[in-house]
PDB file of all heavy atoms in Angstrom:
ATOM      1  N   VAL A 171     -10.466  12.908   5.809  1.00 95.00           N
ATOM      2  CA  VAL A 171      -9.888  12.994   4.373  1.00 95.00           C
ATOM      3  C   VAL A 171      -8.500  13.491   4.517  1.00 95.00           C
ATOM      4  O   VAL A 171      -8.262  14.440   5.137  1.00 95.00           O
ATOM      5  CB  VAL A 171     -10.749  13.808   3.453  1.00 95.00           C
ATOM      6  CG1 VAL A 171     -10.120  13.722   2.104  1.00 95.00           C
ATOM      7  CG2 VAL A 171     -12.148  13.300   3.351  1.00 95.00           C
ATOM      8  N   TRP A 173      -5.455  14.870   1.607  1.00 95.00           N
ATOM      9  CA  TRP A 173      -5.373  15.429   0.310  1.00 95.00           C
ATOM     10  C   TRP A 173      -4.056  16.052  -0.025  1.00 95.00           C
ATOM     11  O   TRP A 173      -3.354  16.436   0.908  1.00 95.00           O
ATOM     12  CB  TRP A 173      -6.524  16.371  -0.004  1.00 95.00           C
ATOM     13  CG  TRP A 173      -6.746  17.374   0.957  1.00 95.00           C
ATOM     14  CD1 TRP A 173      -7.741  17.423   1.980  1.00 95.00           C
ATOM     15  CD2 TRP A 173      -6.070  18.749   0.916  1.00 95.00           C
ATOM     16  NE1 TRP A 173      -7.506  18.688   2.675  1.00 95.00           N
ATOM     17  CE2 TRP A 173      -6.644  19.447   2.099  1.00 95.00           C
ATOM     18  CE3 TRP A 173      -5.013  19.290   0.221  1.00 95.00           C
ATOM     19  CZ2 TRP A 173      -6.143  20.713   2.338  1.00 95.00           C
ATOM     20  CZ3 TRP A 173      -4.649  20.553   0.497  1.00 95.00           C
ATOM     21  CH2 TRP A 173      -5.137  21.307   1.588  1.00 95.00           C
ATOM     22  N   GLY A 180      -2.861  18.301   3.221  1.00 96.00           N
ATOM     23  CA  GLY A 180      -3.742  18.834   4.155  1.00 96.00           C
ATOM     24  C   GLY A 180      -4.592  17.635   4.657  1.00 96.00           C
ATOM     25  O   GLY A 180      -4.520  16.496   4.136  1.00 96.00           O
ATOM     26  N   ALA A 181      -5.584  17.945   5.455  1.00 97.00           N
ATOM     27  CA  ALA A 181      -6.578  17.030   6.038  1.00 97.00           C
ATOM     28  C   ALA A 181      -7.900  17.850   6.221  1.00 97.00           C
ATOM     29  O   ALA A 181      -7.911  19.010   6.552  1.00 97.00           O
ATOM     30  CB  ALA A 181      -6.033  16.411   7.327  1.00 97.00           C
ATOM     31  N   THR A 182      -8.955  17.053   6.030  1.00 97.00           N
ATOM     32  CA  THR A 182     -10.292  17.539   6.309  1.00 97.00           C
ATOM     33  C   THR A 182     -11.103  16.565   7.150  1.00 97.00           C
ATOM     34  O   THR A 182     -11.131  15.471   6.931  1.00 97.00           O
ATOM     35  CB  THR A 182     -10.954  17.849   4.938  1.00 97.00           C
ATOM     36  OG1 THR A 182     -10.153  18.632   4.076  1.00 97.00           O
ATOM     37  CG2 THR A 182     -12.328  18.507   5.127  1.00 97.00           C
ATOM     38  N   ASP A 197     -10.973  22.103   8.103  1.00 96.00           N
ATOM     39  CA  ASP A 197      -9.938  21.936   7.061  1.00 96.00           C
ATOM     40  C   ASP A 197      -8.650  22.546   7.528  1.00 96.00           C
ATOM     41  O   ASP A 197      -8.583  23.685   8.067  1.00 96.00           O
ATOM     42  CB  ASP A 197     -10.427  22.449   5.765  1.00 96.00           C
ATOM     43  CG  ASP A 197      -9.751  22.103   4.528  1.00 96.00           C
ATOM     44  OD1 ASP A 197      -9.556  20.889   4.335  1.00 96.00           O
ATOM     45  OD2 ASP A 197      -9.194  22.976   3.845  1.00 96.00           O
ATOM     46  N   LEU A 198      -7.511  21.938   7.157  1.00 95.00           N
ATOM     47  CA  LEU A 198      -6.240  22.494   7.453  1.00 95.00           C
ATOM     48  C   LEU A 198      -5.246  22.058   6.333  1.00 95.00           C
ATOM     49  O   LEU A 198      -5.178  20.890   5.867  1.00 95.00           O
ATOM     50  CB  LEU A 198      -5.669  21.976   8.786  1.00 95.00           C
ATOM     51  CG  LEU A 198      -5.779  22.877   9.964  1.00 95.00           C
ATOM     52  CD1 LEU A 198      -5.353  22.181  11.284  1.00 95.00           C
ATOM     53  CD2 LEU A 198      -4.904  24.050   9.807  1.00 95.00           C
ATOM     54  N   CYS A 340      -6.465  19.012  13.225  1.00 97.00           N
ATOM     55  CA  CYS A 340      -7.229  18.053  12.485  1.00 97.00           C
ATOM     56  C   CYS A 340      -6.339  16.918  12.140  1.00 97.00           C
ATOM     57  O   CYS A 340      -5.257  17.108  11.728  1.00 97.00           O
ATOM     58  CB  CYS A 340      -7.760  18.717  11.180  1.00 97.00           C
ATOM     59  SG  CYS A 340      -9.005  17.679  10.197  1.00 97.00           S
ATOM     60  N   LEU A 356      -2.222  17.805  11.813  1.00 95.00           N
ATOM     61  CA  LEU A 356      -1.987  19.214  11.497  1.00 95.00           C
ATOM     62  C   LEU A 356      -2.625  20.075  12.596  1.00 95.00           C
ATOM     63  O   LEU A 356      -3.596  19.786  13.197  1.00 95.00           O
ATOM     64  CB  LEU A 356      -2.690  19.585  10.227  1.00 95.00           C
ATOM     65  CG  LEU A 356      -2.263  19.015   8.938  1.00 95.00           C
ATOM     66  CD1 LEU A 356      -3.173  17.903   8.438  1.00 95.00           C
ATOM     67  CD2 LEU A 356      -2.081  20.060   7.845  1.00 95.00           C
TER      68      LEU A 356
END
Side-chain angles (χ1 to χ4, degrees):
V171 177
W173 50 262
T182 304
D197 192 57
L198 258 172
C340 187
L356 295 101

